[in-house]
Amino acid sequence: NQALFQPYDLGPITLANHIVMAPLTRNRAGAGLVPGELAATYYAQRATAGLLITEATQISPQAQGYQDTPGIYTQDQIDGWRKVTNAVHAKGGRIFIQLWHVGRISHVDLQPGGTAPVAPSAIRAETKTFVNNGFADVSAPRALELQEINGIIEDFRKASANAIAAGFDGVEIHGANGYLLEQFLKDGANQRTDEYGGSVENRARLLLEVTAAVIDEIGAERTGVRISPVSPANAISCSDPQPQYDYLAEQLDTLGIVYLHVVEGATGGPRDVAPFDYDSLRRRFKNTYIGNNGYDLPLATAQLAQGKADLFAFGRQFISNPDLVERLKTGAPLAPLNPETLYGGGAAGYTDYPSLTETSQ
Ligand SMILES: C=C(C(=O)O)c1ccccc1
């Protein structure tokens, strides 16, 4: 049925349909970590999505963990993103930017002054990142001092103001996939003994303080949060996720954010990686719930009909199908993506995937 392709009100904005383009790192930022010159074309090609969410974008130099990912903390970066939002809005699209701090998933070669990456605790993740055109083990992090925490909250606040100045319809706070804010949420990475660790409330504190600061700056109706309760992405673990995320969902509901974006299962992997009750989040968080990870048309249609989610985020399928909405709507075949051109490079594997109308010419 066509329920997925009906308009949807997301706070003050109306989306053309229930299909969201999930955040996708492409490592194609230019000098000064401004969006690449093809970024406006890439996002505009996909503007038929009800909502676009940009690739993860760092809030400060310390927040960078991979080569050539864009920032939103300098005027040049704001100006670069303005080209993207103008191009998307010219196509009638809507776009949020994902605000990112990688925490311990970084390398000294990317860190200001070649210093150690920061984290809730000095626990290195058993994973790699991409620097100097190659994969390298992430560097051992240092634990953030208590007096550094406010600076990070202010970096998120300033980045959200910059996002609105760049023309975005809103921001998504990246609280998922083993990055800084999730490092605080999950006890595998957070073994602090101050008010930011040691209990469900304390581990959620930083994400909630960041969210409150962003809401204070740009408003709750333009603020979303992404979480990944049971994902092992970037070598993170959580011994008891259900109470941790039930509490978080209640608190985010109280703060009034416009949406909660949930990676269901392992990011880019199996949905049933671990038992978790997503309906429990849905009952506690009353505003818009975006379901993500491994969706296809039948599953999204069924989940919508059962009221388990409001919007559905597709990642990889949007890479190779700029007109994914049209293809889902008409049952047209989906083009496969080329994994060789996912990260880094130029137009190949980025802006050169044709839409159906182009291929038929
Ligand atoms: C920002 C990412 C995430 O959220 O997983 C990411 C980073 C590098 C490669 C793929 C994805």
Side-chain angles (χ1 to χ4, degrees), residues 9 17 21 152 178 184 189 202 215 251 281 283 339 351:
D9 289 333
N17 55 61
M21 178 174 163
I152 288 179
F184 273 83
N202 283 357
I215 288 169
Q251 295 302 311
L281 303 183
R283 286 194 300 275
T351 52

Side-chain angles (χ1 to χ4, degrees), residues 28 30 62 93 98 163 171 185 193 199 204 245 310 329 340:
R28 286 167 164 87
Q62 180 191 77
Q98 190 188 50
V171 306
L185 276 170
T193 56
S199 68
Y245 284 88
D310 302 298
K329 198 171 181 176
E340 303 300 311

